[in-house]
Amino acid sequence: GVAAAAPDAGPSPAWQSKCPWGAPSTTSISCSLADVMSEQLAKELQLEEENAAFPEVVAAAEGPFITGENIDTSSDLMLAQMLQMEFDREYDAQLRREEKKINGDSKVSISFENYRKVHPYDSDSSEDEVDWQDTRHDPYRADKPTTTPRRGFIGKGKDITTKHDEVVCGRKNTARMENFAPEFQVGDGIGMDLKLSNQVFNALKQHAYSEERRSARLHEKKEHSTAEKAVDPKTRLLLYKMVNSGMLETITGCISTGKESVVFHAYGGNSTEDKVIPPECAIKVFKTTLNEFKNRDKYIKDDYRFKDRFSKLNPRKIIRMWAEKEMHNLTRMQNAGIPCPQVVILKKHVLVMSFIGQDQVPAPKLKDVTLNSEDMKKAYYQILNMMQQLYRECNLVHADLSEYNMLWHDGKVWLIDVSQSVEPTHPHGLEFLFRDCRNVSQFFQKGGVAEALNERELFNAVSGLNITADNEVDFQAEIEALEKMNEDHVQNHGKKLSTFSSDGDPPIYDE
C-alpha cells in the first residue's frame, strides 16, 4: 500500500478524524517514482475512487432487503416505493458490473448511465413547478384524439354528432392553422376555445397563400429591379463606379419618378479633354421591371434602327435598348439646336444628362407653372417651332408630347423624355404626331392663347401634309392611308423612304 497506519496510533474520536485541524491519524510513507508510475497502483486508486463514489450500490447489493427503523409499513404506496427503489438499486448494481466486465483494462470505456432508473418522486421539485405546457389546456389540440367512423357520425338519437358538426369542424380548423407559413401570423389562441367556421378558415388560408406569393414577388423585385425612389444592387454598383471614377462628385437624391424611370440629382465631377461634365447632372435610371414596358414595345420593335436587334434580345436587354434610344434621340435634338438635356454618358440602363434647373431644384413642368399671356404666347410659338424642327431636321416625332414633358426654364421651353420618340416613317408615326398636336392645341387653347391652332391645322403646319378633311374621323382615315402606303413601300422596296406627298417644306411659324 501507499500508506500504512502508525503502530502506536490508538483509536481516535470520530470528530478528530473528520476535523481538518485535528492530528493526522496516519502518516504517509514516501514511495519511489517507479511505484507511482506502475499500473497496479493506478488500478488500486481507481478502485478506491469507485468504492467511494458508489457506496450505496455495494450496500444495496450486499445489504439486507429493507433497513431502517421507524418506517411506516402500513401504507401500500410507501411499500411499493420502497420495493421499487430496492429493485432500482439492484438493477443499477448490475449495470455497474456489466460496465466493469465490458471495459476491463481498456482505455476507452462505455457507460450505461442512460439506462439508470430515475423516478419523479425522487425529485425535489413540487407539482407547481411543472412546465405550463404540461398542465394548461391548449385549445388547438384535442384532449383525446377522436376519430369519425365510416358511417360519418357518432352517438345515437338526440346526441348524434356528424363530421360536419360546427363545434368539431371549428376546432379542427383552428388546429389546422398551424400548417400556415411561419411568416403568416395567426395570433395566440392559448386560453381561448376558438372555433373557426369553414368560410373563415378558407379565407385565411387563401390570404396566407397570397401573402406567401406576394412576399416572394417583393423579394424578387427587391433583388432584381429598380423600385420607386430606390435602386437595385446592380444599379447601385454602376452609380458607385461613376462616383469613384470622378465623373460624378456626389449623388444627392431622387427628384422625380415616373412609370418607366427614376431620376436622381448629382453634382458633376472633373471634366476631361473629350468629355465636358456639367456642374449639375440628372441621372435617369430606367426601371428594370418589365411590367411598365409590356405595352410600350410598339415604340421600338417597329423602329428600323432597332428592329433587327429587338427579336434577338431577351426582355431585360430591351430596357437597355430603350435607354440607348433616348440617348440617340437627345443627340439628334441637341445637334439641331432644340433646348433639351445634354447627354453625358450611357451605362447600360443608366443615362447621365445635364440637369435642367438650379441648386438641386428642377425646372417646373409647363403644367405646374403660371405664365402671363405674353409668356404663354411665347411658349406656344417656341413649341410650334420645336415641333417643326423635330419633324424636319431631326426626322423625329416626340410621340408623348404634352405639358407633362415640357419644362419652363430661363424663359424658354425645354423638351424632355424622348425615349419613345420615333421617326415619321414609323408604322404609327403620323398617329403619334396627331396625338401630340391634339395635346398641345388643347393645352394652349385652355391657357388663353387666341392664336393657337386646332389639332388638324397644327398637324398640317408641322408635317407639311396638306390633308383636307371636314371632320376628325376623315382626317385620321387619311393619316392611316398614308401610313399604309409607306408600309407597303417598305415591304416592296425595303427602303425607309417617305412617300408622303407635300407641297414643299412646312412653313416656319415665328412670333
Side-chain angles (χ1 to χ4, degrees):
V2 178
D8 55 349
S12 59
W15 64 269
Q16 187 175 0
S17 61
K18 297 180 180 179
C19 181
W21 294 279
S25 59
T26 58
T27 58
S28 301
I29 301 176
S30 60
C31 57
S32 63
L33 181 61
D35 295 336
V36 174
M37 299 298 295
S38 64
E39 295 183 2
Q40 184 66 27
L41 177 60
K43 292 180 180 180
E44 292 178 359
L45 293 176
Q46 183 179 4
L47 183 60
E48 291 180 3
E49 292 179 359
E50 291 179 357
N51 294 334
F54 305 100
E56 69 281 356
V57 176
V58 178
E62 300 177 356
F65 184 71
I66 299 177
T67 59
E69 299 179 356
N70 301 326
I71 297 178
D72 185 13
T73 58
S74 60
S75 173
D76 294 340
L77 177 61
M78 181 61 69
L79 289 175
Q81 290 179 354
M82 292 172 63
L83 290 173
Q84 184 64 45
M85 292 174 64
E86 186 67 24
F87 174 79
D88 293 343
R89 291 193 185 98
E90 294 179 358
Y91 181 72
D92 293 340
Q94 181 182 359
L95 290 179
R96 185 62 59 187
R97 289 193 297 268
E98 290 292 335
E99 287 181 6
K100 293 177 65 176
K101 180 180 178 181
I102 295 176
N103 294 333
D105 299 336
S106 176
K107 295 182 180 180
V108 180
S109 61
I110 65 171
S111 173
F112 293 150
E113 193 70 22
N114 293 336
Y115 292 93
R116 295 187 60 197
K117 298 293 184 180
V118 179
H119 297 282
Y121 57 81
D122 289 338
S123 175
D124 296 334
S125 61
S126 61
E127 295 181 358
D128 297 337
E129 297 177 358
V130 182
D131 190 6
W132 63 271
Q133 292 182 352
D134 298 334
T135 57
R136 293 187 60 177
H137 174 64
D138 186 0
Y140 287 97
R141 299 184 180 276
D143 296 335
K144 294 182 180 179
T146 58
T147 58
T148 305
R150 289 187 177 181
R151 57 187 178 182
F153 65 92
I154 56 176
K156 295 181 180 180
K158 296 181 180 180
D159 299 331
I160 188 172
T161 302
T162 65
K163 63 180 180 180
H164 303 291
D165 184 69
E166 183 178 359
V167 176
V168 175
C169 291
R171 288 174 177 167
K172 286 184 178 180
N173 291 336
T174 306
R176 289 164 60 188
M177 284 198 305
E178 295 181 355
N179 300 328
F180 290 164
E183 296 82 7
F184 186 73
Q185 303 295 334
V186 295
D188 187 6
I190 297 297
M192 298 181 291
D193 190 8
L194 299 179
K195 305 178 187 64
L196 295 181
S197 63
N198 292 337
Q199 182 179 3
V200 174
F201 175 77
N202 292 334
L204 285 175
K205 182 179 178 180
Q206 186 65 32
H207 183 63
Y209 291 160
S210 301
E211 287 294 316
E212 189 175 359
R213 292 193 296 268
R214 188 180 71 88
S215 177
R217 288 196 303 269
L218 289 178
H219 178 74
E220 177 74 13
K221 184 176 182 180
K222 180 180 178 181
E223 292 295 329
H224 301 96
S225 67
T226 303
E228 187 171 338
K229 297 186 179 180
V231 294
D232 60 312
K234 294 182 179 180
T235 306
R236 192 180 299 115
L237 181 60
L238 290 176
L239 299 180
Y240 284 160
K241 289 182 179 180
M242 293 181 183
V243 175
N244 293 335
S245 63
M247 179 187 307
L248 301 177
E249 182 179 351
T250 180
I251 300 175
T252 57
C254 178
I255 59 176
S256 176
T257 58
K259 295 182 296 183
E260 63 183 29
S261 62
V262 182
V263 182
F264 296 90
H265 175 271
Y267 285 105
N270 301 325
S271 301
T272 59
E273 296 179 358
D274 57 343
K275 186 176 298 182
V276 178
I277 308 297
E280 291 184 87
C281 298
I283 306 174
K284 188 170 184 179
V285 180
F286 288 83
K287 293 182 179 180
T288 52
T289 50
L290 303 180
N291 295 331
E292 306 296 343
F293 291 89
K294 60 183 180 181
N295 296 326
R296 301 174 70 85
D297 57 349
K298 60 182 179 181
Y299 294 97
I300 192 171
K301 70 177 182 179
D302 293 327
D303 195 325
Y304 81 96
R305 295 174 294 174
F306 305 95
K307 187 174 183 180
D308 296 336
R309 298 167 52 192
F310 181 82
S311 60
K312 299 179 182 178
L313 299 179
N314 58 45
R316 292 191 180 275
K317 290 186 179 180
I318 296 177
I319 300 168
R320 300 183 186 179
M321 190 187 303
W322 195 267
E324 181 183 349
K325 189 166 184 270
E326 178 159 7
M327 181 194 67
H328 290 308
N329 293 339
L330 285 175
T331 304
R332 285 192 186 185
M333 295 169 60
Q334 184 180 350
N335 295 334
I338 299 176
C340 65
Q342 177 186 354
V343 177
V344 178
I345 194 174
L346 173 65
K347 290 289 186 180
K348 295 183 179 180
H349 60 284
V350 178
L351 180 61
V352 182
M353 306 171 290
S354 61
F355 180 69
I356 309 300
Q358 190 175 4
D359 297 333
Q360 302 185 29
V361 180
K365 298 178 182 178
L366 206 58
K367 74 177 186 67
D368 298 328
V369 66
T370 303
L371 301 178
N372 53 34
S373 58
E374 292 297 328
D375 289 338
M376 201 71 172
K377 183 179 179 182
K378 179 181 177 182
Y380 172 74
Y381 281 106
Q382 286 181 2
I383 294 174
L384 183 56
N385 189 19
M386 284 190 293
M387 292 178 67
Q388 292 175 340
Q389 285 184 289
L390 196 65
Y391 186 89
R392 184 179 61 179
E393 300 179 18
C394 303
N395 196 26
L396 287 175
V397 174
H398 192 283
D400 193 20
L401 188 62
S402 65
E403 61 273 16
Y404 293 88
N405 292 328
M406 294 183 287
L407 305 181
W408 181 260
H409 181 63
D410 289 341
K412 59 182 179 180
V413 180
W414 297 69
L415 294 183
I416 61 172
D417 193 9
V418 293
S419 57
Q420 72 287 329
S421 299
V422 297
E423 294 193 348
T425 53
H426 187 276
H428 304 283
L430 297 182
E431 296 180 19
F432 296 153
L433 178 60
F434 185 74
R435 186 175 62 187
D436 292 346
C437 294
R438 180 191 292 115
N439 294 335
V440 173
S441 178
Q442 290 178 357
F443 174 75
F444 284 100
Q445 285 179 355
K446 292 179 181 178
V449 179
E451 295 84 354
L453 304 175
N454 58 36
E455 55 267 21
R456 286 174 286 176
E457 295 173 347
L458 184 59
F459 179 87
N460 289 330
V462 172
S463 63
L465 303 174
N466 296 323
I467 300 178
T468 57
D470 297 335
N471 51 47
E472 184 176 343
V473 176
D474 297 338
F475 195 89
Q476 291 184 351
E478 293 191 21
I479 290 177
E480 294 178 359
L482 290 175
E483 291 178 342
K484 180 63 176 175
M485 291 172 55
N486 184 68
E487 187 175 359
D488 294 340
H489 176 81
V490 172
Q491 293 179 356
N492 296 331
H493 299 84
K495 296 180 180 180
K496 271 291 180 181
L497 296 177
S498 177
T499 58
F500 306 145
S501 60
S502 60
D503 300 333
D505 296 332
I508 301 297
Y509 284 79
D510 195 0
E511 186 179 0

